[in-house]
Amino acid sequence: MIKYLKNSSIKHKTVLLRVDVNVPIDKKTRKVADDFRIQQVLPTIRLLHNNGNKVILCGHLGRPDGQVNEAFGLKAVAERIADLLELKFIETDHKVPNYSIPHFIFYKGDISEDKHIEQLQAIPSKDIVLLENLRFYSGEEENSVAFAKRLASLADVYVNDSFGVDHRKAASVSAITKYIPSYAGLLLEREIKSLEVVLNKSKTPFVLMMGGIKISDKVATLKHLGEKADKILLGGGIASLFCLAKGMEIGISKVEREASDTAWQLEKNFKGKIMLPLDVVVADKNLDKDSIRVTDPHSVGKQEQIVDVGPKTILAFAKELKVAKTIVWNGPLGLFEVKPFDTSTMALARVIGGVSTRKAFGVVGGGETVDAVRLAGQIEHIDHVSTGGGAMLEFLAGKKLPGIEALK
Ligand code: 3PG
Ligand code: MG
């Protein structure tokens, strides 16, 4: 059984809170470029802090592979959290003074040294702390017992609110729970409960919409949810790959060509459920304005690439989404970062936002998809916008996630 933070009364303790703050950082400004994941974990931070707990946050950024590497430092994340919590920010690896008001402390000291554990323990409980990138330590991704114990020694209680990384068997989400009382945070609880609705309590019609390029990341999810779904709407590189598998010309479209057999198999398995684009938007390799045209998917030129689904497809997909009772969407349907190839992705994000909450239970996830949903102004309207990319896909593929299993 998972113990949920919401049902517990953790007060006046030291709490180690694992968060997924693996967010994009702007290369020029070195500031957080998208704080969706950070925003989603604020309620847990606030709850713990308001209950008189000393909160020590920990997380990772990128893949520094067990080496200290400034480029993957969490400073930008720390500054953003401090900003959002309206706390004064300091960055240090020294002893922290007892300030008269609460501070947000980005504590950079190396926790494999006892001196730093002692200094962390001495920080007043009114302050909120963030440790430096856990992946600077090789023990993190090795799921090392020693590193897990080290982390556990920092606190009385551990809270996992890092759904996005719970598909990784890492010390801070897996091994740690053996050494300290462990709970699922508010965000993790919402993720688990929302995604379980899709897996176990979905109402029909169930519409699955998928796009993006990397089908290899999504096959297991497509197979598992495909069984439950009544309709599978495909766009983006995935749809182009299905077209290729059917022997159609897709020109220079970006697809995972080596996975075309997989697409062929899926197409056979889910015959009658899969809807491929009825029309597509194509352009030349430079996306030149004059080269853009809408065409039948059977008439793509050798020098053209498919960059979006066309207007007929938008209408046909919208029709399915409007009668759905359960919707899952992962992966943009076109090259939505470049206008006007965002047309279908924006339009269908709005359709999903429109039917969510009232008519259908809508779940959306994946970094790019969440981006698209935000651009379309629909984050607030969709029942559940997941903070997980790979983690959401694995959960929805029916797989067990190490970080969640460790809490049981
Ligand atoms: C993510 O952003 O996918 C998670 O934080 C996990 O990161 P990873 O893919 O580098 O393991
Ligand atoms: Mg990932």
Side-chain angles (χ1 to χ4, degrees), residues 212-354:
I213 291 176
K214 286 191 77 184
I215 190 170
S216 48
D217 287 348
K218 310 185 191 210
V219 178
T221 316
L222 251 172
K223 279 190 185 153
H224 195 73
L225 287 189
E227 297 292 339
K228 299 174 199 290
D230 298 289
K231 280 276 153 39
I232 305 169
L233 319 178
L234 298 181
I238 292 195
S240 308
L241 185 67
F242 274 69
C243 292
L244 179 73
K246 292 173 87 173
M248 291 153 69
E249 174 65 59
I250 60 163
I252 53 166
S253 302
K254 288 189 186 68
V255 298
E256 265 183 355
R257 283 177 193 266
E258 63 283 6
S260 101
D261 285 350
T262 311
W264 179 245
Q265 274 306 325
L266 286 165
E267 161 82 15
K268 275 207 314 206
N269 285 0
F270 297 129
K271 233 187 169 53
K273 286 188 182 185
I274 291 189
M275 283 176 73
L276 290 175
L278 303 170
D279 53 353
V280 290
V281 180
V282 295
D284 69 5
K285 95 169 180 301
N286 302 319
L287 306 175
D288 201 80
K289 267 207 174 69
D290 299 329
S291 72
I292 302 171
R293 65 185 189 106
V294 175
T295 180
D296 182 278
H298 289 94
S299 321
V300 177
K302 279 200 163 47
Q303 299 306 322
E304 289 179 319
Q305 55 173 324
I306 301 171
V307 286
D308 199 3
V309 303
K312 277 191 218 152
T313 313
I314 297 177
L315 280 180
F317 284 10
K319 204 171 149 201
E320 299 298 337
L321 292 166
K322 280 180 182 162
V323 296
K325 294 249 163 60
T326 307
I327 297 170
V328 175
W329 176 30
N330 170 263
L333 302 184
L335 198 63
F336 79 101
E337 316 86 285
V338 187
K339 279 183 182 169
F341 312 130
D342 60 340
T343 307
S344 74
T345 303
M346 292 299 117
L348 294 169
R350 287 189 199 101
V351 171
I352 297 176

Side-chain angles (χ1 to χ4, degrees), residues 75-135:
K75 180 171 183 184
V77 168
E79 285 174 327
R80 180 61 62 93
I81 305 176
D83 251 17
L84 291 167
L85 294 173
E86 296 179 31
L87 292 178
K88 229 172 135 61
F89 171 80
I90 55 165
E91 173 186 357
T92 185
D93 60 358
H94 283 72
K95 202 164 174 292
V96 175
N98 194 350
Y99 299 104
S100 55
I101 52 162
H103 277 57
F104 190 90
I105 294 153
F106 176 38
Y107 191 83
K108 299 195 345 178
D110 178 346
I111 59 165
S112 43
E113 291 171 20
D114 290 344
K115 175 181 103 182
H116 291 295
I117 299 278
E118 283 154 25
Q119 285 183 172
L120 274 163
Q121 281 162 345
I123 294 176
S125 61
K126 64 179 183 304
D127 296 330
I128 296 179
V129 183
L130 172 69
L131 303 180
E132 183 52 291
N133 194 340
L134 294 175
R135 288 188 180 173

